[in-house]
Amino acid sequence: MKEMLHSIIEKLSDHPGLFLFARGILEDNFKAIHRTIRAQLPIKPGHRVLDVACGPGAFSVLFDPEGYSGVDINHRYISYAKSHYRGCFQVMDVRNLEFQESSFDEALVFGLLHHLSDEDAEAVISGLSRVLKPGGRVLVIEDIPTESKLNLIGRLLHWVENGHFIRHAEGYRRLLVPHLQLKDEQIFRSGICDYYMASLDIE
């Protein structure tokens, strides 16, 4: 049963438009995610924003396209993003960010770290510390274990989803705080999904 559901999710992930549609249904069209990003990373003229593991590029609409860069290792996602959204999109392994030091003012990391081991997650965080300017802001939004026992669909999704490193809030905090200065954090719900949000600065 788990293998069959996991296979369905993997096939959905191979089709960016269908994947966004399905996740949009489960997460109330990402309204809570949008509110959080807009509150923590408001548009600032002239600022350069890096969207790390941007997927199909759906959150690019929340930023000024002139200063937006999205990177993802999935060629199909980047191809979809280029054909549907404005901004700069590149195929890149986010564990090895190919940008010069102090290239960006802000960065968004959404739904990435729960796919990565501690070692790989720390490589991403270290890379962000390098490519963001001093005083730059990093917004991290990550899946946490489903909080409510009544949220059966959320628990089922985490049971079959391919994020093998879903952590509690303290687990993400332990990864982030040695490298970045924590300014704000919260736990919130997006549709059936529970998330940990951390807003951090480059020291």
Side-chain angles (χ1 to χ4, degrees):
M1 177 66 172
K2 182 176 182 178
E3 289 75 14
M4 181 184 70
L5 292 173
H6 179 75
S7 177
I8 291 172
I9 290 177
E10 286 290 306
K11 289 179 180 178
L12 277 175
S13 299
D14 284 339
H15 299 278
L18 191 57
F19 174 73
L20 284 176
F21 175 76
R23 285 301 296 254
I25 291 175
L26 294 174
E27 298 200 44
D28 191 26
N29 204 29
F30 302 106
K31 291 176 184 176
I33 302 292
H34 284 204
R35 285 196 300 269
T36 300
I37 294 173
R38 285 198 181 278
Q40 297 293 332
L41 297 179
I43 294 176
K44 297 176 182 177
H47 271 212
R48 295 193 65 202
V49 178
L50 177 62
D51 190 351
V52 181
C54 65
F59 297 134
S60 62
V61 297
L62 300 174
F63 302 100
D64 179 357
E66 296 299 320
Y68 172 90
S69 293
V71 295
D72 199 284
I73 200 169
N74 188 313
H75 289 256
R76 190 170 294 181
Y77 283 173
I78 292 298
S79 178
Y80 181 92
K82 286 181 176 180
S83 64
H84 287 79
Y85 302 106
R86 298 172 61 199
C88 177
F89 296 95
Q90 300 178 63
V91 175
M92 189 179 298
D93 185 339
V94 296
R95 295 167 298 183
N96 183 27
L97 294 171
E98 300 170 14
F99 298 106
Q100 294 182 354
E101 291 185 14
S102 303
S103 295
F104 297 93
D105 299 282
E106 299 169 338
L108 170 65
V109 182
F110 172 77
L112 167 66
L113 302 182
H114 75 283
H115 292 284
L116 302 179
S117 66
D118 285 4
E119 181 180 2
D120 286 339
E122 287 175 356
V124 173
I125 297 163
S126 177
L128 286 172
S129 298
R130 182 182 63 82
V131 304
L132 265 74
K133 298 175 182 177
R137 175 63 54 90
V138 180
L139 177 62
V140 175
I141 302 175
E142 284 295 335
D143 290 75
I144 59 173
T146 304
E147 294 214 305
S148 173
K149 293 181 179 179
L150 299 178
N151 185 2
L152 300 179
I153 298 177
R155 289 179 177 273
L156 177 63
L157 182 63
H158 277 172
W159 183 58
V160 300
E161 204 246 354
N162 61 354
H164 301 300
F165 299 95
I166 294 176
R167 303 166 174 91
H168 290 279
E170 57 267 26
Y172 294 114
R173 192 183 303 116
R174 177 177 52 81
L175 287 172
L176 296 166
V177 169
H179 305 275
L180 305 166
Q181 184 179 7
L182 183 64
K183 306 297 288 187
D184 187 22
E185 62 180 348
Q186 61 180 271
I187 291 172
F188 68 96
R189 171 76 63 82
S190 172
I192 65 165
C193 298
D194 293 317
Y195 287 100
Y196 168 70
M197 181 281 289
S199 183
L200 312 105
D201 284 349
I202 301 294
E203 296 182 355

